[in-house]
Amino acid sequence: HHLGLDGTTSLVALDIEAARRKLAELPWDEYAEVRKVYPKTIEVMLKEREAFGIWQHGSELSLIERDGKIIAPLRDSKFASLPLAVGRHAETAAAASEQELAGWPELKDRVRAYVRVAGRRWDLHLDSGVVLKLPERNVHQALAVLSRLEAEQGILGRDIAAVDLRHEDRTTVQLTGGALDRRKEALEARTKALKKAG
């Protein structure tokens, strides 16, 4: 129906070039080829663009290709599982960040959002709600540290809100509210127990 075919248009009258242009303008089509095959067939070949992620800029959500080009506004939920890139220039930088995670597939699969901070570095939001604050440089090194912490202590499975990997000499773990409360309770219980014992 995009081609203006209504059953009455004669095939001879169909302007192939115009039809091809119309199809190529559809947001999802990278290119379109239209050929007449007489007597009454039209062959249309489309190559669809591939959605890499969802870019959130302000309140707008757009589907983007790997290079950050916008395909179309996000309209339906079938793309809900794609990673979200948030922030200015996040759309063009997200693929590189995803590439850096290639060596950590189990981590990469858990990233739900790549949030660009100050246009310089990333906060990765995992499916568990944990935020990984990555440094501006030496992301590889930071991920190696995280990987070690995960192997030794299962850090990502814990009750934590964030892991700050921005400083090479130290990794800071921020507990969730619930974890903080429990920790406080545990400390108070211990203090009480010590008082009793004393």
Side-chain angles (χ1 to χ4, degrees), residues 40-107:
K40 47 168 176 269
T41 314
I42 296 171
E43 242 182 36
V44 178
M45 215 189 82
L46 298 177
K47 181 175 184 296
E48 270 211 344
R49 296 165 68 182
E50 218 171 296
F52 161 74
I54 299 161
W55 179 38
Q56 182 184 334
H57 40 115
S59 57
E60 304 276 309
L61 290 172
S62 306
L63 281 166
I64 53 168
E65 291 183 278
R66 180 167 282 282
D67 60 4
K69 284 203 187 85
I70 292 178
I71 298 172
L74 181 68
R75 294 264 184 266
D76 59 51
S77 56
K78 77 170 182 199
F79 298 102
S81 63
L82 288 175
L84 188 64
V86 184
R88 204 159 56 101
H89 305 313
E91 80 283 16
T92 48
S97 177
E98 193 225 24
Q99 214 49 54
E100 288 193 282
L101 292 178
W104 287 270
E106 61 293 335
L107 177 63

Side-chain angles (χ1 to χ4, degrees), residues 12-54:
V12 182
L14 178 72
D15 178 346
I16 289 294
E17 194 43 45
R20 195 187 60 71
R21 270 201 311 275
K22 260 187 198 163
L23 283 168
E25 278 165 15
L26 297 175
W28 277 99
D29 300 334
E30 196 165 313
Y31 65 80
E33 284 174 28
V34 183
R35 292 192 330 177
K36 290 182 191 177
V37 184
Y38 292 100
K40 47 168 176 269
T41 314
I42 296 171
E43 242 182 36
V44 178
M45 215 189 82
L46 298 177
K47 181 175 184 296
E48 270 211 344
R49 296 165 68 182
E50 218 171 296
F52 161 74
I54 299 161

Side-chain angles (χ1 to χ4, degrees), residues 124-172:
L124 304 185
H125 291 242
L126 304 187
D127 51 8
S128 57
V130 175
V131 178
L132 301 179
K133 300 178 177 199
L134 296 182
E136 205 173 320
R137 284 184 282 281
N138 296 337
V139 169
H140 232 255
Q141 202 175 324
L143 289 174
V145 168
L146 178 73
S147 192
R148 197 175 67 237
L149 285 171
E150 177 61 12
E152 290 169 6
Q153 304 171 26
I155 189 169
L156 294 177
R158 300 214 181 159
D159 215 341
I160 58 171
V163 183
D164 191 339
L165 298 154
R166 288 174 300 175
H167 308 287
E168 277 179 37
D169 54 343
R170 66 182 189 280
T171 301
T172 319

Side-chain angles (χ1 to χ4, degrees), residues 104-116:
W104 287 270
E106 61 293 335
L107 177 63
K108 186 172 140 187
D109 289 344
R110 298 183 59 186
V111 177
R112 289 293 163 265
Y114 294 83
V115 180
R116 196 77 174 142

